[in-house]
Amino acid sequence: MFNWLRRARREPPSLKPEVRDAVIAAFPFLALPDAADAARLEEIAAGFLRDKGFTPVHGLDADDFMLTAIAMQAALPVLHLGPRAYDDFEEIVIYPGEFQVEREATDEFGIVHDDSGARAGETMAGGPVILGWEEIRRGAQGDGPAFAPVIHEFAHKLDMRNGGVADGIPAFDPKLHAGLDPDDWADELDAAWEAFGGAVEDLEDRFPRSIDPESDEGRAIYERELPLDAYAAESEAEFFAVATEAYFVTPARLRGAFPHLAAMFDAYFRPGRSVG
Ligand SMILES: [Zn+2]
């Protein structure tokens, strides 16, 4: 009779070594070569599991692997910024797969909606992060452009932390980011976004008419020709989130296409650390 109560009071999930290892095997970009970085990732992920509330919906049976996979990927962008960068929200809602949202794009309330087929996540300023597990799992397999919906949505969180609006300019920490100027950041991001948008348009112009861009073959062309998922062309906010995915998942690819942007991301995500 009190089963539901017992479930609700269940101990918060902890970071178990065997689950951690399984998550790293599934998401190889979480294997950090630096031992101190790896330990820090684990510590932040464990704190995330302890402090955040996870709400599986639509009958999803969220197990330790899922929660740990989300926590470890969420920890990656704040590895050197610290977990306080996420202290303006608590809840992570997890759908089994893609879910429907009825609003569009980034609205005046700073709500970012990713409802195109390939992306399934939603982030609200000060509110929950909403993710679809099937999309997260799919991101584990790709070898094309980075596809990491967890990193994507948490990049939006960092972006919205200053003023609640997603504009591609994340919150700067006065101590860690003293050398970063918001105007310079906006200029650099804008230039990269414009260049990328031009590359997408160029590809669309010369795209073979006989191939459906939505087919596997069509998608393979996009993946081969573009350094980032084409979705990055949507807006500066989406460009920042998609480029952040690439920064952590396919860094060489991002660095090759946008060296200045990558150097700026180094200064933001790895402040005070020498970059090799
Ligand atoms: Zn997005």
Side-chain angles (χ1 to χ4, degrees):
M1 158 175 197
F2 290 110
N3 247 0
W4 62 272
L5 196 61
R6 219 169 285 134
R7 277 181 72 88
R9 282 185 185 166
R10 184 174 80 156
E11 283 287 298
S14 60
L15 197 134
K16 301 180 182 71
E18 68 274 18
V19 180
R20 170 203 62 202
D21 293 346
V23 167
I24 292 174
F27 301 91
F29 58 88
L30 291 170
L32 304 181
D34 182 282
D37 281 353
R40 181 95 182 114
L41 184 82
E42 211 172 301
E43 186 191 328
I44 293 175
F48 194 93
L49 286 169
R50 192 179 57 237
D51 299 338
K52 300 299 182 199
F54 294 87
T55 309
V57 294
H58 284 206
L60 177 70
D61 186 14
D63 58 19
D64 277 359
F65 178 83
M66 292 183 196
L67 302 187
T68 303
I70 291 170
M72 290 183 74
Q73 291 178 74
L76 201 48
V78 297
L79 191 63
H80 301 291
L81 306 180
R84 281 171 144 196
Y86 292 152
D87 66 5
D88 62 336
F89 67 96
E90 274 177 14
E91 198 185 6
I92 320 296
V93 177
I94 318 164
Y95 280 78
E98 288 182 324
F99 50 91
Q100 298 300 316
V101 290
E102 288 168 10
R103 293 146 298 183
E104 292 176 354
T106 307
D107 62 29
E108 74 253 47
F109 305 108
I111 303 172
V112 176
H113 309 284
D114 298 319
D115 52 359
S116 74
R119 307 263 160 192
E122 188 179 21
T123 308
M124 217 170 284
V129 172
I130 309 173
L131 297 162
W133 172 251
E134 196 50 39
E135 300 301 298
I136 297 171
R137 203 192 53 76
R138 194 161 67 76
Q141 303 159 345
D143 18 76
F147 183 68
V150 177
I151 294 175
H152 183 102
E153 295 307 323
F154 284 88
H156 282 319
K157 273 292 180 201
L158 297 174
D159 187 351
M160 289 188 297
R161 196 173 160 80
N162 53 351
V165 179
D167 56 6
I169 308 170
F172 293 154
D173 181 296
K175 276 192 208 135
L176 297 175
H177 301 127
L180 279 172
D181 177 73
D183 291 334
D184 291 347
W185 180 284
D187 288 348
E188 184 60 51
L189 190 89
D190 213 46
W193 176 61
E194 294 273 358
F196 182 73
V200 172
E201 274 178 27
D202 176 58
L203 178 59
E204 283 168 354
D205 286 347
R206 61 188 165 81
F207 206 85
R209 286 175 199 282
S210 56
I211 299 173
D212 175 2
E214 299 286 317
S215 66
D216 285 350
E217 195 184 0
R219 273 198 288 269
I221 293 175
Y222 270 94
E223 290 182 9
R224 194 178 61 234
E225 299 282 329
L226 296 174
L228 298 173
D229 191 304
Y231 187 65
E234 288 280 313
S235 65
E236 285 99 330
E238 295 308 335
F239 186 79
F240 171 66
V242 173
T244 299
E245 290 177 68
Y247 180 76
F248 289 105
V249 179
T250 52
R253 200 169 165 137
L254 182 75
R255 224 171 270 283
F258 300 106
H260 297 294
L261 186 80
M264 192 170 80
F265 278 21
D266 286 335
Y268 181 75
F269 289 112
R270 301 174 58 83
R273 316 239 332 166
S274 62
V275 176

